[in-house]
Amino acid sequence: MEILVKDFVKENTDKLDAAGISDASVDIWLLLEHFANIKKSDYLANPDIVLSVVDAEEIEEAVQKRINHIPVQHIIGETEFMGLTFMVNENVLVPRFDTEILVDEVVKYVGDEYLKVLDMCTGSGCIAITISDMCDNATVVASDISKDAIEVAKENNQINCTDVTFIESDLFENVEGIFDVIVSNPPYIKTEEIENLQEEVKLHDPRLALDGGESGLDFYSRIIKDSKDYLKTNGMIFFEIGFDQAEEVSNILEENGYHDIVVKKDLSGLDRVVIAKN
Ligand code: GLN
């Protein structure tokens, strides 16, 4: 027996919708592509395209996981970030589209210069790896406190044929050398707000990657304070921030002698990146 993709998408999108999962049809198409190698463009070119029963059953199992709020990226085991593929699991934060704004800013700055870049709290390695991929002459080092995250990041470095050096380190503890650029998307959610996050994030992203302490600012304070010993004079620091943290992070930067502080917005018009010069 064969199943029309059209009917399958409708039925399973309805199931996810009914379970309160947002962007249901996007997820169904991701699952179809991953498990059955059928893309939406294939369907648009041939609306009568069919799905085998075996594939349908496998995807239905995946839909059940999605209904239980397991992130689609965890079900598939990978996600896309800046056009590259990243393996993800429960040990790393799933790379977010918003973080592409941060990478764009670093890539614009580094260009084809021979600069040394440090990505702090690298998680999946998405920031370091895309910078290494796009900036041919940059030397990229990345650190994370989590051994399990470093394992994922190393695998992503291989998948993408990039050349990042990874260090397991509690912030700067095991980092050596002096850098032209420090970039970080550190954990920045206030501890008490974690409870209010959607289940996909609260239960499936590592808490270690979310929790920024009582104020949400713990990592900015610690990184900025110690960064002075690892950043060249006139070197640049780039942070992703929460939408309401621009002022506080800018103040911490200023108190530590940084200048030329600039805040960049994301596509929704929310403050997303802070850049400063040492
Ligand atoms: N740097 C990684 C990312 O941007 C992980 C960030 C984190 O764990 N807070 O996705």
Side-chain angles (χ1 to χ4, degrees), residues 81 92-96 99 102 119-127 144 184-188 206 208-210 240:
F81 180 79
V92 297
L93 188 86
V94 172
R96 307 295 207 264
T99 305
L102 175 68
D119 172 26
M120 182 125 284
C121 311
T122 196
S124 65
C126 63
I127 296 173
D144 201 285
S184 185
N185 174 24
Y188 59 69
L208 199 61
L210 302 172
E240 177 170 323

